[in-house]
Amino acid sequence: MRLSWLLSLPAVLSVVSALAIEKRDADFFSVRTTMHKDMSGKRGDPKGKYFRESAPPKSVAFHPHYDGRFAETQLGYRERKQALSNLIQTYLATFADIGVETWLMHGTLLGWWWNRKILPWDSDSDVQVSESSMHYLASYYNMSVFHYKTPRIPDGRDYMLEVNPHYVNREQSDKLNVIDARWVDVTSGLFIDITTARYNHTHPAGAGMLSCKDGHEYRDTYIFPLRETFFEGTPAKIPFAYKEVLEAEYHAKALTLTEYEGHRFDEEKLEWIPIPKKEDDKPN
Ligand SMILES: *[C@@H]1O[C@H](CO)[C@@H](O)[C@H](O)[C@H]1NC(C)=O
Ligand SMILES: *[C@@H]1O[C@H](CO)[C@@H](O)[C@H](O)[C@H]1NC(C)=O
């Protein structure tokens, strides 16, 4: 079955209108765009782990932030930046379209803090959803593929939503399956991790505590009501007390330090610019 619809976003946002075609219940092989060796290194993964990354120490693996079923190489700096931007734009647009509330978290929220963009040294993005949203995604959208063709993605690209069957386990006991779902760019293998913030009914701090399987916990008044904003030029949502959430995770310094990971924040351009290495300084 194929459904198609028009996604309209305000033209001023550079995101443009996107034609999305959804194919339901795709299997891995029908969405693979190129046939090659499986680089997931799955054979070396611990038994019981659902999501496969191309992570060391396996011999064929190359990077933990690529899905080895779809990729065999890392992208260059600029290509990766563009792919990650397309990834979060298509994710946010799709979730808005299917009516699932989602918000930015972790390094993605930190990128938002600085300039409403992905930190250029990051190779993944992090978002959260509520427990009822995760049930809904698992029930209706697992393995759905969304096709986007936009001026920024002129050749068109498929993105797949995949829900970990272990999402039903609410406990923090299964360390191999802390990621409940992923939004995967099946061309590059890059993905967004989607985790669930669940109400923790046994939390010692009492009612209103949200826990994630990766061990993060938040009082719900820090997250809700979500604030509406923009990220990578696309409408997005962030936690209500975003500053406190960021400070708790990264310390206050991360919100002011303008040199990090080989980049310097240019206050005029509002961009993280790579600090040139010594040899790059010399004219050719
Ligand atoms: C999603 O689909 C995949 C592939 O069929 C399957 O392995 C997985 O268990 C499904 N997830 C859920 C939550 O049902
Ligand atoms: C609830 O919170 C406690 C204390 O942080 C934690 O040990 C427990 O795993 C949490 N439960 C869930 C379901 O996340």
Side-chain angles (χ1 to χ4, degrees):
M1 186 181 68
R2 279 175 150 226
L3 299 167
S4 66
W5 70 93
L6 205 61
L7 262 180
S8 301
L9 297 167
V12 283
L13 303 177
S14 84
V15 182
V16 303
S17 306
L19 182 68
I21 301 160
E22 180 204 2
K23 299 177 240 159
R24 297 293 304 277
D25 302 326
D27 63 49
F28 299 148
F29 298 99
S30 75
V31 294
R32 266 170 80 130
T33 47
T34 44
M35 279 310 289
H36 48 64
K37 243 187 333 184
D38 182 4
M39 305 295 277
S40 67
K42 180 67 178 168
R43 269 184 310 161
D45 268 340
K47 214 170 173 280
K49 183 173 190 309
Y50 181 73
F51 282 121
R52 288 155 277 199
E53 296 87 22
S54 185
K58 290 136 254 164
S59 55
V60 294
F62 61 94
H63 197 285
H65 287 159
Y66 290 79
D67 183 325
R69 289 168 299 174
F70 303 117
E72 51 192 358
T73 48
Q74 289 188 50
L75 300 180
Y77 182 87
R78 197 166 293 176
E79 262 185 304
R80 185 187 66 195
K81 218 170 146 206
Q82 191 60 56
L84 287 173
S85 177
N86 291 340
L87 196 59
I88 193 82
Q89 288 182 338
T90 54
Y91 169 80
L92 292 170
T94 304
F95 273 50
D97 202 65
I98 65 177
V100 174
E101 194 166 69
T102 184
W103 57 96
L104 311 180
M105 265 305 195
H106 310 307
T108 306
L109 186 60
L110 188 59
W112 172 88
W113 165 268
W114 282 97
N115 61 356
R116 314 289 188 257
K117 288 181 184 166
I118 294 168
L119 297 170
W121 54 85
D122 259 0
S123 52
D124 71 344
S125 299
D126 285 293
V127 293
Q128 289 185 346
V129 299
S130 70
E131 189 165 21
S132 54
S133 292
M134 188 52 74
H135 277 304
Y136 178 76
L137 295 172
S139 308
Y140 296 103
Y141 288 101
N142 185 31
M143 303 307 278
S144 290
V145 174
F146 298 80
H147 183 75
Y148 277 84
K149 197 173 161 83
T150 73
R152 277 187 55 180
I153 318 173
D155 300 332
R157 217 169 242 231
D158 285 342
Y159 295 89
M160 181 173 77
L161 183 71
E162 180 168 7
V163 184
N164 188 334
H166 301 283
Y167 90 93
V168 288
N169 174 9
R170 308 184 76 248
E171 301 304 319
Q172 295 179 25
S173 48
D174 184 357
K175 295 292 172 211
L176 297 174
N177 290 292
V178 298
I179 305 302
D180 291 307
R182 273 189 179 156
W183 178 252
V184 188
D185 170 356
V186 306
T187 309
S188 70
L190 288 165
F191 52 79
I192 294 176
D193 279 338
I194 310 168
T195 52
T196 310
R198 297 173 171 83
Y199 273 102
N200 185 335
H201 306 299
T202 58
H203 198 285
M209 288 301 291
L210 295 163
S211 288
C212 303
K213 284 200 219 173
D214 55 15
H216 285 105
E217 46 184 47
Y218 315 92
R219 184 162 289 287
D220 60 355
T221 50
Y222 281 63
I223 306 293
F224 304 117
L226 296 169
R227 292 178 190 267
E228 302 207 3
T229 180
F230 287 88
F231 189 65
E232 291 285 339
T234 307
K237 288 177 181 165
I238 53 164
F240 181 75
Y242 56 86
K243 192 159 182 253
E244 288 80 356
V245 167
L246 281 171
E247 284 174 350
E249 185 167 355
Y250 298 104
H251 304 292
K253 243 187 150 170
L255 307 189
T256 54
L257 203 66
T258 54
E259 245 187 74
Y260 203 67
E261 293 277 345
H263 290 70
R264 187 173 294 123
F265 193 71
D266 184 321
E267 311 266 359
E268 261 159 42
K269 289 188 190 150
L270 291 180
E271 288 282 349
W272 286 98
I273 312 287
I275 301 169
K277 295 197 188 79
K278 284 283 182 290
E279 53 271 25
D280 299 346
D281 285 335
K282 292 183 203 133
N284 297 321

